[in-house]
Amino acid sequence: AQKVTQAQTEISVVEKEDVTLDCVYETRDTTYYLFWYKQPPSGELVFLIRRNSFDEQNEISGRYSWNFQKSTSSFNFTITASQVVDSAVYFCALSEAGYGGATNKLIFGTGTLLAVQP
Amino acid sequence: DGGITQSPKYLFRKEGQNVTLSCEQNLNHDAMYWYRQDPGQGLRLIYYSQIVNDFQKGDIAEGYSVSREKKESFPLTVTSAQKNPTAFYLCASTTQYSAVNTEAFFGQGTRLTVV
């Protein structure tokens, strides 16, 4: 069965520290997508990145970087030089294709609450 | 501005009442979804709709009902059969129901509390 595990419930860092959020997934599909979303206190989920199962290249976007390793079924997210505005809940998600056709159903992890202290 | 609008932001329900949460999108998206968020449990899928006049149950559909009469609208009714409805509800939409690669856009959520 498809599953996403975010073992870190809460992380607290001091501003300017680097922080890595872990994500481990399980799927039997050969084609799948992985996502990271940010949920600020306002509640709305903000899309950060999408990565398909055939592309294991790491990606960097400003202070954000993602490390995708199929061998360990992990898709970790690193924030470099963290800032107070990075404080939020971060969700990792897996896109599942349902029987009879793709459905775009997202399977979410339980989220990691990141608190960046000034 | 294009986006997803959920209303109301806060909703209080008495025991035994049905309540309806609104979700409207002007993104011209085909597929729409309802998720429930509880502390420490991430987001769980309640119902989803790939096309107008069609919808499917998600992982926790019991006690909920939906309709999809218009492409832009996907209201969720929390019925009295839902034993523990207090939660944060998020509506989402995607561009192509047949693609496993498009990001989901989310509304700002409705916080439902049973009083």
Side-chain angles (χ1 to χ4, degrees), chain A residues 7 21-22 31 44 48 57 70 77 82 85 87 90 95 101 107 118:
Chain A
L21 309 181
D22 298 332
T31 302
E44 180 178 356
L48 295 178
Q57 285 192 355
K70 287 181 74 173
F77 173 30
S82 60
V85 294
S87 297
Y90 290 87
S95 191
I107 300 166

Side-chain angles (χ1 to χ4, degrees), chain A residues 71-115:
Chain A
S71 60
T72 56
S73 297
S74 65
F75 187 44
N76 296 337
F77 173 30
T78 297
I79 301 175
T80 302
S82 60
Q83 300 176 1
V84 173
V85 294
D86 295 327
S87 297
V89 179
Y90 290 87
F91 288 97
C92 181
L94 169 70
S95 191
E96 171 193 52
Y99 290 107
T103 64
N104 256 346
K105 288 167 54 176
L106 284 170
I107 300 166
F108 286 85
T110 51
T112 297
L113 173 61
L114 174 64

Side-chain angles (χ1 to χ4, degrees), chain A residues 17 21 23 32 36-37 40-41 54 63 65 73 88 94 98 100-105 112 118:
Chain A
E17 284 186 27
L21 309 181
C23 173
Y32 54 90
W36 275 95
Y37 282 87
F54 299 107
R63 295 184 297 107
S65 63
S73 297
L94 169 70
T103 64
N104 256 346
K105 288 167 54 176
T112 297

